[in-house]
Amino acid sequence: MNKLIKKTALLLILLAPGYALAAGGSSFLFKTPNIDETDKAAIQRGARVFVNYCLTCHSAEYMRYKRVADDLGISEEIMKKNLMNPADKFHDGMTVAIEEDDAKRWFGVPPPDLSVISRARGRDWLYNYFMTFYKDESSPIGVNNATFKDVAMPNVLWELQGWQEPVYADAAEHGESDGDKQIVGMKLVETGKLTPKEYQQTVRDLVTYMVYMGEPAELKRHEIGFWVLAFLFVFLMISYALKREYWKDIH
Ligand code: HEC
């Protein structure tokens, strides 16, 4: 028994650094809801938003439509009907609709490929990015973002979310210039098609899709992991039964 306690303690110590990292503090405006990148329904809803609202400007070349369909367990037909633009091919990657040169001319910066953006930015950053677009008359595109200051990307989800204005820390305490005031929240000034709650869920789904896209092996890994553990458990039972059998006569 003593041994068992020692072993459990050792295991906990070995696992501890991971938990410590996961619990690190953050300076984001909004708390990210739980993102489960193995939730197939959420991935599918997120993929739909992604195809409809993002692929006009961004590509996700390393992500093939077929791969998404296979991982989600949906047929080629359903995939084509619900999650692909008519011009796209099932075996191709998610390519972009506009030419890079045009994009550069229009936005000043080419919209980056988003295949592995979740690994570069992290889920909290992405969730907050889509929660913090706001109206800003002083910006050339009329929009700004509290997570990505002076961003060149338009607020493509405004139809769904509506428009927000920032809430500043005590305005009187800060200087006149807008740029330096600290943003502490967002206020909806024009409603969109979705309620705030529905919009948060949509962003959560979109981020879930992006996290999945950055690590598509994750889904498989979870499935394999389950069987590996199941095997080890059965194996343990057999070894234990054998041990008892062998030692029976010696005791
Ligand atoms: C109208 C074109 C356009 C559309 C549509 C669009 N974006 Fe963008 N996006 C851009 C541009 C341009 C940038 C570069 C912004 C910059 O660097 O200032 C960008 C930047 C980004 C970034 C930040 C990349 C970085 O530097 O880390 C993310 C994340 C992103 N877009 C995600 C999305 C998602 C998800 C969608 C769909 C919901 C979307 N974008 C739709 C044009 C677009």
Side-chain angles (χ1 to χ4, degrees):
M1 193 64 199
N2 228 341
K3 244 189 183 164
L4 187 70
I5 293 172
K6 266 193 203 147
K7 274 192 185 150
T8 317
L10 186 69
L11 193 70
L12 284 178
I13 289 167
L14 285 174
L15 288 175
Y19 284 109
L21 268 181
S26 88
S27 58
F28 292 109
L29 270 189
F30 295 96
K31 188 177 173 321
T32 315
N34 185 31
I35 305 275
D36 176 5
E37 61 271 37
T38 62
D39 179 346
K40 291 186 183 177
I43 296 175
Q44 197 168 336
R45 289 191 301 268
R48 205 174 174 142
V49 178
F50 190 79
V51 170
N52 286 334
Y53 290 94
C54 317
L55 286 181
T56 357
C57 297
H58 292 276
S59 57
E61 289 190 9
Y62 302 108
M63 199 67 218
R64 292 179 189 284
Y65 289 104
K66 181 177 186 312
R67 178 70 198 256
V68 180
D70 287 350
D71 282 348
L72 295 179
I74 54 182
S75 70
E76 178 169 349
E77 210 185 332
I78 303 246
M79 186 74 196
K80 279 188 170 153
K81 205 163 128 216
N82 293 336
L83 293 170
M84 288 171 62
N85 294 317
D88 297 326
K89 300 205 172 53
F90 190 58
H91 290 271
D92 284 354
M94 294 182 156
T95 46
V96 66
I98 52 169
E99 298 290 332
E100 190 171 322
D101 284 350
D102 286 339
K104 217 169 171 177
R105 203 151 8 106
W106 291 334
F107 305 111
V109 221
D113 185 276
L114 295 179
S115 306
V116 292
I117 190 73
S118 64
R119 287 204 236 164
R121 291 293 199 178
R123 53 189 76 188
D124 292 332
W125 190 93
L126 286 173
Y127 182 78
N128 273 268
Y129 181 56
F130 292 103
M131 293 300 293
T132 56
F133 274 96
Y134 65 89
K135 259 188 176 169
D136 181 359
E137 304 304 339
S138 68
S139 135
I141 55 169
V143 168
N144 213 325
N145 188 296
T147 310
F148 188 150
K149 199 163 158 0
D150 299 329
V151 72
M153 173 171 144
N155 182 8
V156 296
L157 299 179
W158 70 270
E159 237 183 358
L160 304 179
Q161 185 187 25
W163 281 106
Q164 321 187 95
E165 277 177 4
V167 178
Y168 293 105
D170 194 351
E173 259 181 39
H174 292 76
E176 293 291 287
S177 84
D178 247 43
D180 300 318
K181 286 193 234 161
Q182 199 200 344
I183 297 174
V184 290
M186 288 287 157
K187 187 175 65 178
L188 203 63
V189 289
E190 211 179 298
T191 50
K193 278 190 196 157
L194 303 181
T195 64
K197 192 146 194 210
E198 285 167 344
Y199 180 72
Q200 283 162 26
Q201 279 161 0
T202 302
V203 173
R204 189 199 57 194
D205 293 342
L206 178 64
V207 175
T208 308
Y209 175 71
M210 284 193 275
V211 172
Y212 149 77
M213 187 162 62
E215 188 84 49
E218 188 75 10
L219 270 183
K220 266 265 133 25
R221 211 150 57 200
H222 274 264
E223 272 163 33
I224 295 170
F226 172 79
W227 289 111
V228 169
L229 285 181
F231 170 78
L232 285 177
F233 184 71
V234 171
F235 190 71
L236 180 77
M237 287 297 142
I238 296 172
S239 324
Y240 185 66
L242 271 179
K243 177 192 166 245
R244 282 181 60 136
E245 189 59 33
Y246 287 150
W247 284 83
K248 203 170 58 192
D249 303 329
I250 301 171
H251 280 308

